Amino acid sequence: MLLFIGMGVLIIGLTLWNWHYDVRPRLENEAESNARVLAASHARAIESQFQNISGNTDISIIHNAINKMLLINDPNTGETLYQGIALEVDYDVFPAAYDMVNISVGVTDCSECITSENPIFIHKTGELAAILKVYANPVFYRRLVSDIVDNLALMFGGVTVVLVLAWLTSNRLLHNLRERERSLVIEIADRKSAEERLHQIAAYDQLTNLPNRYLLQADFARKLEETARSKKMLATLFFDLDHFKEINDMHGHETGDALLKEAAARVSDVTRNYDLLARFGGDEFVMIMSNVENRSDVIYVAEKIIASFKPTFSLPNADVQVTTSIGISIYPEDGDDPSELLKNADLAMYRAKADGRNGYQFFNAEMNLELQYSQWVETNLREALNNNRLELHFQPQVNLDNNNVESCEALIRWPQDEGEKVSPADFIRIAERTGLINDISSWVLEEACRHVIQWTEEGYETVRVDINLSSRDFAEKGVLYSFLPTMRRKNLKPSQIGIEITENILLESTEQVIKALSVLHNAGVHISIDDFGTGFSSLSYLKHLPLSGIKIDQSFVHEAPSNKDDLIIIQAITLVGHGFGLDVVAEGVETEWHESLCKGVGCNTMQGIYVSKPLPADRFAKKFLQKS
Ligand code: C2E
Ligand code: MG
Ligand code: MG
């Protein structure tokens, strides 16, 4: 019996294989090549949509995979049930993203039955989707069984019944066969009407039911023409959800989707009937207000949008508080075509974010200059980094009890031959925005190590060098994670290089980042909070985080002699810092008076031009390091 079952399973496998490849008819050549052209254009559309959704640029996989026609006929009538292109891709590359594309997408098993599909697919294929979805759909099932029975009957005559029973119990084998080949399918059946339906469906975002960017673009042009005739204004409001990515990462995509849906519904409620609200992509939305008489109409709507975010969002896995930032451009003064107005509104949104989020900003021409400036900085800074034209300078940190230089801060410098010098604060801000900061921070770490090694070789007793890190250095593959391996590679102790981070980084940091910081801290790396008192200071977090010191922001030190409040703040920070066993450093000490104030309140360490400005490595060593 077992032997029979085994043979049965084997034969059924072979039969399925045969059926799969032999029985299925092929399209005629011309029809096939037409279908390929159509499929290629659909694939490009899908490709760009995936790019919008996932930001994934390496998706040529879809494009290259158009290699198989899919045609399912009713074997009884010969009628084409389904005609399409199967894209053999690893669909795990796009987890759940295919739900969001505006083109019908299905995933098939190896028998070319649809195992899952996105909402547009269901909409387009209607009942057909349901038929295709059931593995053993009547047509397919009947055909399969009759094929098997015919074949087996030929081969084995009387034992057919046993083998069919064996087949019915060999679900696992079938399952494996099904899993072996997964494909994405674009339906191209009934080409003309499919395209019409596609056009209609492709205009709306499936998650929020708002018009999508394609419909937006079409309507935008029409609204501009109308506005031009009426001699009124048209406002473009470009907005997204502040920190959406973090919420998505922390609570999962399901929560992220629910948030987008709810946000869209809330903004729709404050949208006037004749305005157009569209989902532009990801968490970005655009509202077009036409026939605007004056800016106060726009401000009124912008404020209503912001207010609509105030109530807590109750989502499946979490209750979250979310804000939005809005950039606004106005026709005719900020541009006269959709792409320029969108670009300028987008630029203004970035300004609204830089100004602290949860607000709106009108575009102005300076923002364009600013964009050009940051592009110039980015290009030239990258070139300076690649050609090793950046430098590190070192500023001593002096122990207030014994006046010894016990550590120093490494500060980056960009020497420029001509033109206005760009300050570190400026170029670091731009590098943070563009992502160049990761390379800069790696360079800073390497360079700080190089100087420590060189000082030792020159016979100096070195001191701890603190480097500044940015939030991007905390991302995966950032310097935070290569720190200890670098120190090991250089044969340096982890205590020889410290790190400075700002409060806001800590507030935004995830559990994983805190763990990574703890590893560094336990290994002996000195970790201090820079510019303390300027962020969203919550003293209580000092006790939860792996810290060694805090650096009181220089603004308090500068104001302390004339402003009692600032002196009280310094006193309080010092008290709390010491209470948690942390070093307290006063930054920006410029005068003897500053020094005695800081000493008076009990700070451990001072740093500032009163002792020395930041100096190049050789001058710093000569002036502040002892010969061993
Ligand atoms: P920071 O980390 O708070 O550095 C202290 C800043 O105060 C430095 O400005 C320093 O030159 C300046 N300073 C020192 N003593 C005095 C003083 O007595 N009075 C006044 N008014 N200023 C003083 P710098 O070098 O222009 O750097 C500005 C900011 O740029 C730094 O602030 C830091 O946030 C960032 N930065 C500098 N180098 C790096 C770097 O290598 N990586 C990163 N990520 N950021 C850096
Ligand atoms: Mg610093
Ligand atoms: Mg500082």
Side-chain angles (χ1 to χ4, degrees), residues 168 304 428 462 490:
L168 288 174
K304 267 174 68 170
I428 289 290
T462 61
K490 307 260 175 199

Side-chain angles (χ1 to χ4, degrees), residues 391-392 395 409-413 423-428 432 437 440-441 443-444 467-470 473 500 502 530-531 551 553-554 558 587-591 594 607-614:
E391 286 174 16
L392 275 192
Q395 187 173 37
E409 178 175 5
L411 293 155
I412 197 163
R413 295 291 177 261
S423 76
D426 274 355
F427 69 77
I428 289 290
E432 279 171 348
I437 193 70
I440 290 185
S441 298
W443 176 85
V444 169
I467 61 169
N468 291 281
L469 293 190
S470 300
D473 298 318
E500 294 187 6
T502 58
D530 206 357
D531 306 339
K551 299 183 76 172
D553 189 66
Q554 43 183 280
H558 294 164
E587 286 191 279
V589 173
E590 295 181 347
T591 61
H594 289 152
Q607 176 184 347
I609 53 174
Y610 177 59
V611 181
S612 166
K613 64 177 193 177

Side-chain angles (χ1 to χ4, degrees), residues 286-313:
V286 168
M287 187 190 285
I288 307 293
M289 295 174 60
S290 40
N291 290 319
V292 173
E293 301 263 6
N294 48 48
R295 282 178 178 237
S296 56
D297 298 347
V298 186
I299 292 174
Y300 177 73
V301 172
E303 284 176 348
K304 267 174 68 170
I305 296 175
I306 289 168
S308 74
F309 279 75
K310 274 225 172 90
T312 304
F313 286 80

